[in-house]
């Protein structure tokens, strides 16, 4: 009832993380399967749309790629408001960039709520080989676990694990969406039953239950 | 730079002045250029352009310079950076003092630089500071924060325009980092923010090009050029002069970077003030964008405005970047510089950016209107690179001061009717759509929905007629009470709006009739009642589309300029409603379907193509023209309901007729199409459309 005919699901996903960790590259790899060594720095944000098929269901992803530098605090809410998922990217060669992720997670949970699906992505695994970088993912993995986020190690350059990360976040978002729908459906039923009894309250209940379902699931 | 006759006279006078004041070059130089080959010609042209510029830079010439800037005439200027300086006040109106000004500016930059960029190797001895000290006043602490800020800047600078080699020369990168760093330290409340680097990059590029031009000319000639010229465009001061120009532009541009209740720490990180509510930082550029939206956008194109509103696309998503980079990512460099010429030419704290933003939106309205959220967002976040920058500028100028600038006659949007693919351009697939004039949008906000539904065919009709009368009207109006060049209550304007509106309703009605007839044809009589109810509903809607105050419609439909004298006579002579019923019941045409012949008689501007099957009165195209009132009621052929909307031709107001003359063509075609629809429906009476159809075949 709420989705477009062409897609079963429409989700808004936002890419967050410090500057130059590879957010735009990850997105470029995922959407167009390209890699550009000399990428322009993202100013403000950029937007891409990708439709994927999964389990015979069509998923339409509206993905916001944000600028690393000042998105925090100042402009962030514009982009992550109403997001269904967030991909938090850090550079495995920079511990600082991981620290930033912790702040982000806090911020997201505080402002968007617990329903947002968070995926933490450690990018640039190609550096391990190329620059003989030693990297121990263990602390990052345990942190991800502690906040209920999935964790992926990716390389946009070598196209490693990028699709997987997006697929997993889609799966989780679909699951949450389905659960919500189910909950809404039952709410609806109680709402309509109440309507027969008391008119004033029923309109209120209707508004409450209808709002999320008619909003085309990505809150637009 | 182009110069007209009057100017060259002036320039001779000016030459004399120059001779008196600066006896350095003139005579020698002219001798030289006369003798030398085509290289000499280059030099001569270069010098002429420079002298023209000196004239333009003077107080009296400034107006002309501004005109040139907004009309794209600085495109080929070899002194663009100087022009920009003059336009923005970076160099004053007396070129004889430029050398002095430049040296002051350069000295000032050196002071700034010395203040902020500290050479640690020299200072180590003097400072007894402990590098590990955390106190704020600590020199070392400052040094570490400086390093942090520099790293932040460097991160962006090294990623500037990866495809252009120029920006990846080490000296250019260093210059950019130093300038941005100095600016950040000199204006700590703004500091450095992402985006500034691209503005600066373009400035440096322009300055560098001017330097290059000068050095090429110097290579070609042995005599020395104008001292001022050499000084102003001295390549050794690329950094100093770039900083100066950048700082001047930032004076206005900083508004777009400002975040009111946030402050920036000295490492370039944003931190909120203690009182700040974390959820809603007060971002100045969003206020600006809201202003633009309410004060300009809603007025210029309410339809598109509402469309974006409906999709919940806020201006912030794309507008922040557009404004902060001065549209740097939205156009290719050459177009961008032309746009900047205009923005700086208008001046007034870069106010023109507001109008450019709206003009850019309107320019892609044909792509936005039929699109949903993802497509719209994609268009806005990746603005089509092939957009006509001059058209956008002219349209923006018209939006800003309609009393000074005409609505660009070619302010059409090319609508790809067939293919959505951007690259797939075939001229014949395009419909030309006139941009809606602002008053149309405001006045007809209630009809916006109708416009959406009827699609681009209708908008081409609707918009095609919208703006031509404007020019004629607004010139004679008094100054007060004018909104964008029109007094809102000017009766003529109101009449024309009414006419506009009326035409829209008529077209809607006729198209509905067409659809109705098609539906009726395909729905057999014994079908479910509901369907017929729906059809009757549509018919009812058609009747609702009839205007109520018929007496207001004494404005005639314009006369087609292609009329033959005899036709016009018939038209004017008949005071009574033209006999639509007669034609409706006229003998059936022999050929079942020949709209092409009809269209050929008057070339349409928009390719209004109706795929309505059915016979048409191809036997006599002219008769179609004469019957052009508003014959859309299907019941009319029963003649129990005489159409009250016929225009009584004897009430023709000649003055208005004159004004409407130019736009008759599009409208007439509309009427023909509606005629077509009307006949279709009249040929298929509602109760037995199928049978009738068979008969006619």
């Amino acid at each position: 009832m709420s989705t477009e005919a062409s897609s079963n699901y429409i989700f808004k996903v936002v890419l967050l993380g410090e500057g130059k960790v590879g957010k735009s590259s990850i997105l470029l790899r995922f959407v167009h399967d390209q890699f550009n060594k000399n990428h322009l720095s993202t100013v403000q944000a950029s937007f891409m749309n990708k439709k994927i098929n999964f389990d015979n269901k069509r998923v339409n992803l509206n993905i916001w790629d944000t600028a690393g530098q000042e998105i925090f605090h100042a402009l962030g809410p514009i982009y992550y408001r109403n997001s269904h998922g967030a991909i938090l990217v850090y550079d495995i060669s920079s511990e600082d960039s991981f620290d930033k992720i912790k702040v982000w997670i806090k911020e997201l949970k505080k402002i968007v709520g617990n329903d947002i699906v968070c995926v933490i992505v450690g990018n640039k695994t190609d550096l391990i080989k190329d620059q003989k970088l030693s990297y121990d993912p263990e602390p990052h993995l345990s942190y991800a676990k502690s906040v209920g986020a999935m964790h992926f190690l990716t390389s946009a350059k070598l196209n490693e694990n990028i699709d997987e990360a997006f697929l997993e976040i889609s799966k989780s978002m679909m699951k949450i969406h389905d659960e919500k729908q189910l909950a809404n459906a039952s709410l609806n039923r109680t709402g309509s039953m109440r309507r027969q009894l008391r008119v004033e309250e029923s309109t209120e209940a209707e508004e409450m239950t209808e709002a999320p379902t008619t909003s085309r699931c990505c809150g637009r | 730079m182009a110069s007209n006759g009057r100017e060259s006279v002036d320039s001779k006078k000016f030459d004399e002045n120059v001779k008196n004041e600066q006896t350095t070059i003139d005579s020698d130089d002219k001798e030289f250029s006369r003798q030398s080959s085509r290289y000499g010609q280059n030099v001569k042209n270069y010098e002429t352009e420079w002298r023209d510029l000196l004239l333009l830079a003077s107080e009296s010439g400034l107006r002309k310079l501004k005109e040139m800037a907004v009309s794209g005439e600085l495109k080929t200027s070899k002194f663009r950076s100087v022009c920009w300086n003059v336009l923005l006040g970076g160099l004053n109106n007396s070129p004889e003092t430029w050398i002095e000004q430049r040296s002051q500016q350069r000295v000032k930059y050196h002071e700034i630089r010395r203040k902020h960029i500290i050479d640690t190797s020299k200072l180590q001895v003097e400072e007894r500071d402990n590098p590990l000290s955390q106190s704020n006043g600590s020199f070392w602490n400052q040094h570490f924060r400086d390093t942090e800020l520099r790293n932040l800047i460097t991160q962006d600078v090294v990623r500037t325009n990866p495809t252009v080699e120029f920006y990846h020369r080490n000296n250019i990168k260093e210059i950019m980092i130093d300038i941005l760093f100095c600016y950040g330290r000199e204006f700590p409340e703004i500091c450095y923010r992402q985006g500034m680097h691209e503005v600066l990059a373009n400035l440096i590029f322009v300055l560098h090009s001017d330097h290059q031009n000068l050095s090429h000319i110097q290579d070609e000639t042995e005599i020395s050029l104008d001292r001022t010229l050499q000084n102003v465009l001295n390549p050794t001061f690329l950094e100093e002069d770039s900083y100066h120009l950048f700082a001047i532009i930032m004076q206005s541009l900083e508004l777009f970077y400002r975040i009111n209740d946030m402050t920036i720490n000295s490492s370039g990180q944003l931190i909120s003030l203690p009182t700040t509510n974390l959820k809603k930082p007060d971002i100045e550029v969003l206020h600006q964008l809201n202003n633009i939206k309410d004060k300009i956008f809603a007025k210029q194109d309410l339809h598109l405005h509402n469309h974006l509103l409906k999709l919940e696309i806020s201006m912030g998503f794309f507008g922040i970047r557009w404004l902060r980079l001065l549209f740097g990512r939205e156009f290719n460099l050459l177009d961008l510089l032309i746009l900047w010429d205009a923005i700086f030419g208008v001046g007034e704290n870069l106010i023109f950016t507001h109008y450019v933003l709206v003009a850019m939106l309107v320019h892609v309205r044909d792509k936005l209107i039929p699109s949903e959220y993802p497509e719209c967002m994609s268009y806005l976040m990746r603005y089509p690179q092939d957009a006509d920058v001059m058209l956008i500028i002219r349209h923006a100028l018209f939006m800003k001061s309609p009393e000074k600038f005409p609505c660009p006659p070619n302010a059409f949007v090319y609508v790809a009717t067939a293919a959505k693919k951007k690259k797939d351009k075939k001229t014949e697939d395009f419909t030309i759509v006139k941009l809606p004039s602002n008053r149309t949008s405001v006045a007809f906000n209630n009809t916006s929905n109708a416009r959406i539904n009827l699609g681009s065919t209708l908008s081409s009709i609707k918009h095609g007629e919208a703006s031509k009368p404007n020019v004629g009207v607004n010139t004679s109006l008094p100054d007060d009470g004018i909104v964008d060049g029109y007094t809102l209550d000017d009766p003529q304007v109101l009449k024309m709006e009414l006419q506009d509106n009326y035409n829209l309703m008529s077209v809607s009605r006729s198209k509905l009739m067409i659809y109705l007839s098609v539906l009726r044809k395909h729905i057999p009589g014994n079908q479910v009642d509901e369907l017929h109810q729906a059809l009757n509903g549509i018919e009812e809607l058609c009747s609702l589309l009839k205007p109520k105050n018929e007496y207001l419609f004494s404005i005639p439909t314009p006369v087609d300029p292609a009329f033959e004298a005899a036709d016009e006579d018939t038209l004017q002579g008949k005071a009574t409603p033209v006999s639509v019923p007669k034609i409706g019941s006229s003998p059936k045409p022999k050929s079942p379907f020949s709209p092409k012949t009809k269209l050929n008689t008057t070339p349409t501007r928009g390719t209004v193509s109706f795929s309505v099957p059915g016979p048409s009165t191809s036997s006599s195209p002219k008769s179609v023209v004469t019957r052009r009132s508003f014959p859309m009621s299907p019941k009319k052929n029963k003649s129990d309901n005489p159409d009250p909307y016929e225009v009584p031709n004897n009430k023709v107001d000649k003055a208005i007729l004159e004004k409407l003359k130019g736009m008759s063509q599009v409208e007439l075609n509309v009427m023909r199409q509606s005629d077509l629809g009307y006949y279709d429906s009249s040929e298929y009476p509602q109760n037995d459309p199928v049978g009738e159809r068979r008969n006619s075949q």
Side-chain angles (χ1 to χ4, degrees):
Chain A
M1 69 194 272
S2 64
T3 46
E4 275 177 20
S6 57
S7 298
N8 300 57
Y9 300 90
I10 302 178
F11 295 124
K12 177 174 169 185
V13 180
V14 59
L15 278 158
L16 299 167
E18 216 191 347
K20 244 202 152 188
V21 295
K23 296 179 293 298
S24 303
S25 294
I26 287 177
L27 187 56
L28 189 69
R29 175 61 82 185
F30 174 62
V31 176
H32 295 301
D33 195 15
Q34 286 167 355
F35 181 75
N36 186 351
K37 203 173 67 188
N38 301 313
H39 210 286
L40 277 171
S41 53
T42 307
V43 174
Q44 236 50 67
S46 69
F47 173 86
M48 285 199 190
N49 173 263
K50 170 116 174 168
K51 297 182 178 74
I52 56 175
N53 281 316
F54 172 72
D55 203 12
N56 284 331
K57 282 166 189 152
R58 260 169 296 183
V59 181
N60 191 345
L61 297 175
N62 289 328
I63 310 166
W64 283 97
D65 172 24
T66 60
Q69 192 197 30
E70 71 172 298
I71 204 72
F72 186 65
H73 281 199
L75 293 170
I78 302 179
Y79 299 103
Y80 57 67
R81 199 174 58 95
N82 297 329
S83 298
H84 301 89
I87 296 181
L88 301 121
V89 187
Y90 69 95
D91 178 345
I92 59 160
S93 65
S94 151
E95 192 58 32
D96 280 356
S97 69
F98 189 81
D99 290 343
K100 207 57 171 286
I101 285 193
K102 296 180 182 168
V103 190
W104 269 117
I105 295 257
K106 257 188 222 155
E107 169 111 354
L108 284 174
K109 300 259 173 193
K110 189 165 135 201
I111 291 176
V112 189
N114 280 322
D115 276 347
I116 187 165
V117 181
C118 293
V119 170
I120 297 175
V121 166
N123 192 34
K124 306 195 186 177
T125 52
D126 45 283
L127 292 180
I128 298 178
K129 237 187 230 167
D130 293 358
Q131 298 182 8
K132 305 246 159 43
L133 183 88
S134 64
Y135 170 68
D136 174 22
E138 197 38 56
H140 298 163
L141 286 174
S142 59
Y143 172 79
K145 210 171 182 183
S146 73
V147 294
M150 287 176 276
H151 185 281
F152 288 88
L153 287 174
T154 65
S155 164
K157 194 175 177 183
L158 306 176
N159 195 7
E160 281 175 6
N161 250 351
I162 303 283
D163 288 352
E164 286 80 354
F166 278 95
L167 205 67
E168 284 305 318
I169 195 172
S170 303
K171 268 196 220 165
S172 299
M173 289 187 299
M174 285 161 76
K175 202 174 140 211
I176 287 187
H177 180 259
D178 288 346
E179 280 167 4
K180 263 192 191 167
Q181 289 264 309
L182 216 67
N184 280 337
S186 58
L187 251 176
N188 249 336
R189 231 173 292 135
T190 53
S192 58
M193 277 173 74
R194 227 186 289 166
R195 196 178 309 157
Q196 293 170 337
L197 301 172
R198 271 166 55 186
V199 182
E200 307 106 313
E201 209 180 298
S202 71
T203 46
E204 209 175 302
E206 196 179 322
E207 272 169 29
M208 276 168 59
T209 52
E210 297 253 309
T213 46
T214 48
S215 65
R216 259 193 255 169
C217 28
C218 69
R220 297 192 268 109
Chain B
M1 250 173 270
S3 59
N4 56 28
R6 209 181 113 242
E7 238 187 280
S8 56
V9 176
D10 283 349
S11 81
K12 266 179 206 158
K13 267 188 208 160
F14 188 81
D15 283 352
E16 283 166 23
N17 290 337
V18 173
K19 258 184 215 162
N20 295 339
E21 284 169 23
Q22 308 176 338
T23 48
T24 43
I25 39 163
D26 269 309
S27 54
D28 281 359
D29 178 42
K30 273 176 188 162
E31 285 286 291
F32 181 83
S33 20
R34 232 172 267 136
Q35 288 162 10
S36 59
S37 58
R38 63 192 169 90
Y39 291 116
Q41 192 59 40
N42 279 348
V43 178
K44 204 181 166 198
N45 290 346
Y46 187 76
E47 289 200 306
T48 315
E49 197 188 321
W50 173 250
R51 276 191 218 107
D52 284 347
L53 175 62
L54 293 181
L55 268 179
L56 291 167
S58 68
E59 201 131 352
S60 54
L62 198 60
R63 210 176 58 94
K64 170 78 180 159
L65 182 63
K66 285 186 172 182
E67 272 170 30
M68 288 170 71
V70 299
S71 58
E73 285 175 54
L74 299 185
K75 186 161 64 176
T76 54
S77 171
K78 295 187 175 60
F79 307 102
R80 197 175 226 146
S81 67
V82 185
C83 292
W84 286 1
N85 261 310
V86 173
L87 289 169
L88 294 164
L91 289 169
N92 68 14
N93 297 129
S94 20
E96 61 275 7
T97 64
W98 281 1
I99 297 182
E100 201 183 318
Q101 284 180 61
R102 272 292 202 219
S103 74
Q104 280 171 6
Q105 292 160 9
R106 287 161 186 168
V107 168
K108 196 179 154 210
Y109 177 70
H110 282 289
E111 277 166 16
I112 293 172
R113 217 188 125 95
R114 211 172 306 129
K115 199 163 66 187
H116 300 303
I117 301 183
I118 304 158
D119 189 349
T120 42
S121 59
K122 280 180 195 163
L123 274 163
Q124 262 172 341
V125 200
E126 298 161 28
E127 290 290 329
R128 50 193 174 84
D129 222 328
N130 181 354
L132 299 176
S133 160
Q134 288 298 307
S135 81
N136 253 351
S138 153
F139 160 76
W140 281 105
N141 201 357
Q142 179 65 42
H143 173 65
F144 292 137
R145 278 178 295 180
D146 283 357
T147 316
E148 243 177 278
L149 179 59
R150 284 187 86 89
N151 287 343
L152 192 73
I153 295 171
T154 310
Q155 206 175 72
D156 288 330
V157 167
V158 296
R159 290 196 283 175
T160 311
N161 263 338
T163 50
V164 183
E165 184 267 337
F166 172 74
Y167 296 114
H168 298 277
R169 298 178 196 164
N170 282 331
N171 62 329
I172 298 295
K173 277 194 278 191
E174 274 165 30
I175 287 178
M176 282 179 68
I177 294 167
D178 282 350
I179 291 176
L180 291 168
F181 180 80
C182 285
Y183 180 84
R185 283 284 174 262
E186 191 65 12
F187 299 92
E189 73 281 10
I190 313 281
C191 200
Y192 167 75
R193 310 282 293 286
Q194 225 171 20
M196 292 180 188
H197 68 297
E198 296 199 13
V199 175
L200 175 67
N202 293 330
L203 295 179
I204 292 189
F205 182 80
V206 168
L207 229 84
H208 178 76
S209 311
D210 286 358
H211 292 165
Q212 290 287 304
N213 277 323
L214 176 64
S215 78
H216 285 318
I217 294 294
Q218 272 172 335
D219 288 347
E220 286 174 16
T221 174
E222 278 158 18
I223 58 128
S224 59
L225 297 161
D226 179 13
R227 210 161 56 93
T228 310
L229 166 60
Q230 292 204 29
N231 183 289
V232 168
L233 289 180
N234 187 341
T236 33
F237 297 112
L238 178 63
E239 181 175 341
E240 289 81 350
D241 296 347
S242 299
Y243 176 84
H244 180 68
L245 192 53
F246 177 68
I248 287 179
I249 290 171
M250 283 306 295
Q251 277 174 13
S252 311
L253 201 60
E254 60 103 348
L255 208 58
F256 300 145
Y257 285 92
R258 190 177 280 264
I259 296 176
N260 287 335
D261 49 9
M262 290 259 190
T263 180
I264 283 201
N265 70 13
S266 41
S267 331
Q269 307 289 336
L270 276 171
I271 43 169
S272 39
L273 295 175
T275 52
T276 307
N277 174 7
L278 192 73
K279 279 184 191 176
K280 286 180 185 169
D282 187 22
I283 302 164
E284 179 62 35
V285 67
L286 289 181
H287 293 302
Q288 301 272 330
L289 284 165
N290 264 336
N291 262 341
I292 296 173
K293 183 170 70 95
D294 297 340
K295 299 208 171 123
I296 308 173
F297 189 30
K299 258 206 279 183
Q300 296 291 341
D301 196 338
L302 193 66
H303 182 194
L304 183 59
H305 169 272
N306 290 345
H307 179 66
L308 295 188
L309 206 66
K310 198 183 76 198
L311 297 179
E312 287 185 29
I313 295 178
S314 109
M315 303 272 277
F317 286 138
F318 53 92
I320 297 178
R321 191 180 73 194
W322 286 14
L323 291 178
R324 283 191 177 172
L325 298 190
L326 276 175
F327 311 102
R329 293 262 174 102
E330 275 54 55
F331 296 94
N332 65 48
L333 186 64
L334 291 182
D335 285 348
L336 180 69
L337 297 183
I338 296 173
L339 182 64
W340 283 18
D341 288 342
I343 291 172
F344 302 151
V346 173
E348 301 170 44
N349 290 329
L350 309 186
I351 192 80
F352 194 51
T353 48
H354 297 189
Y355 295 90
V356 170
L357 188 139
V358 175
M360 282 169 67
L361 285 175
V362 176
H363 192 71
V364 292
R365 80 187 304 282
D366 58 310
K367 293 179 173 123
L368 299 179
I369 293 285
S371 302
E372 284 293 317
Y373 182 86
E375 294 84 36
C376 271
M377 225 51 247
S378 299
Y379 277 122
L380 293 170
M381 297 304 288
R382 275 184 299 283
Y383 197 76
Q385 287 282 318
D386 52 0
D388 180 350
V389 73
M390 272 321 292
L391 182 56
I392 289 172
I393 292 173
R394 275 193 227 112
H395 198 195
L397 284 171
F398 169 70
M399 288 177 186
K400 182 172 181 293
S401 5
E403 72 283 351
K404 268 199 234 159
F405 299 94
C407 182
N410 52 344
F412 294 108
V413 185
Y414 287 88
V415 189
T417 49
K420 269 196 174 179
K421 280 179 191 169
K422 205 175 135 198
K423 295 291 166 195
D424 192 9
K425 273 194 215 160
K426 284 180 190 168
T427 22
E428 60 266 32
D429 283 341
F430 284 83
T431 311
I432 300 168
V433 177
K434 181 73 179 68
L435 296 175
S437 75
N438 50 5
R439 61 180 183 85
T440 316
S441 300
V442 176
F444 299 134
N445 52 12
N446 51 343
T447 61
S448 315
N449 287 333
R451 249 191 274 165
I452 298 174
N453 296 335
L454 291 168
S456 62
T457 344
L458 179 56
S459 29
S460 68
I461 294 154
K462 168 103 191 74
H463 301 152
E465 67 198 75
S467 73
K468 274 200 179 158
N470 299 353
V471 187
V473 175
N474 64 35
T475 45
S476 59
L477 291 176
D479 264 3
D480 42 352
I482 293 182
V483 177
D484 278 1
Y486 314 100
T487 52
L488 283 178
D489 52 359
D490 184 284
Q492 271 191 346
V493 173
L494 288 178
K495 268 185 177 179
M496 270 184 271
E497 280 175 356
L498 216 48
Q499 169 89 22
D500 253 8
N501 208 354
Y502 179 63
N503 286 346
L504 179 70
M505 289 165 81
S506 306
V507 174
S508 311
R509 194 147 61 100
S510 74
K511 286 204 79 170
L512 271 178
M513 296 308 302
I514 294 168
Y515 301 145
L516 191 62
S517 73
V518 172
L519 286 176
R520 286 219 159 103
K521 193 178 72 200
H522 291 290
I523 297 170
N526 56 2
Q527 263 291 343
V528 210
D529 280 348
E530 249 181 307
L531 278 175
H532 288 287
Q533 267 175 22
L535 291 178
N536 291 337
I538 295 177
E539 200 178 334
E540 245 181 80
L541 281 180
C542 293
S543 64
L544 281 180
L545 280 172
K546 288 177 181 178
K548 280 182 187 135
N549 299 318
E550 60 192 272
Y551 67 90
L552 282 172
F553 297 101
S554 55
I555 304 171
T557 48
V559 174
D560 190 333
F563 273 15
E564 308 230 347
D567 290 327
E568 208 155 352
D569 282 345
T570 7
L571 187 77
Q572 306 267 350
K574 282 185 185 170
T576 44
V578 201
S579 50
V580 180
K582 266 186 215 158
I583 289 135
S585 56
S586 68
K588 299 243 158 68
K590 281 155 205 165
S591 103
F593 183 48
S594 58
K596 230 179 178 180
T597 35
K598 288 180 87 186
L599 284 176
N600 284 344
T601 56
T602 336
T604 33
R605 236 212 218 133
T607 42
V608 190
S609 56
F610 285 42
S611 56
V612 183
S616 74
T617 50
S618 65
S619 48
S620 158
K622 269 180 197 166
S623 64
V624 177
V625 176
T626 48
R627 276 179 251 128
R628 74 239 181 69
S629 314
F630 302 101
M632 254 75 64
S633 165
K635 283 178 181 164
K636 215 190 284 169
N637 52 351
K638 291 173 187 167
S639 40
D640 55 355
N641 182 16
D643 193 339
Y645 311 107
E646 296 293 343
V647 176
N649 282 311
N650 54 357
K651 284 188 191 171
V652 168
D653 174 346
K654 290 218 167 157
I656 296 174
L657 185 70
E658 198 62 39
K659 275 184 179 152
L660 295 178
K661 224 174 199 172
M663 59 185 220
S664 57
Q665 199 151 332
V666 174
E667 188 173 315
L668 264 183
N669 281 312
V670 173
M671 298 326 295
R672 283 160 166 231
Q673 295 299 344
S674 7
D675 284 353
L676 181 63
Y678 170 60
Y679 299 124
D680 282 341
S681 61
S682 70
E683 258 149 22
Y684 311 128
Q686 300 120 33
N687 293 329
D688 184 16
V690 186
E692 190 70 19
R693 169 93 178 125
R694 290 202 179 114
N695 287 344
S696 76
Q697 276 175 343

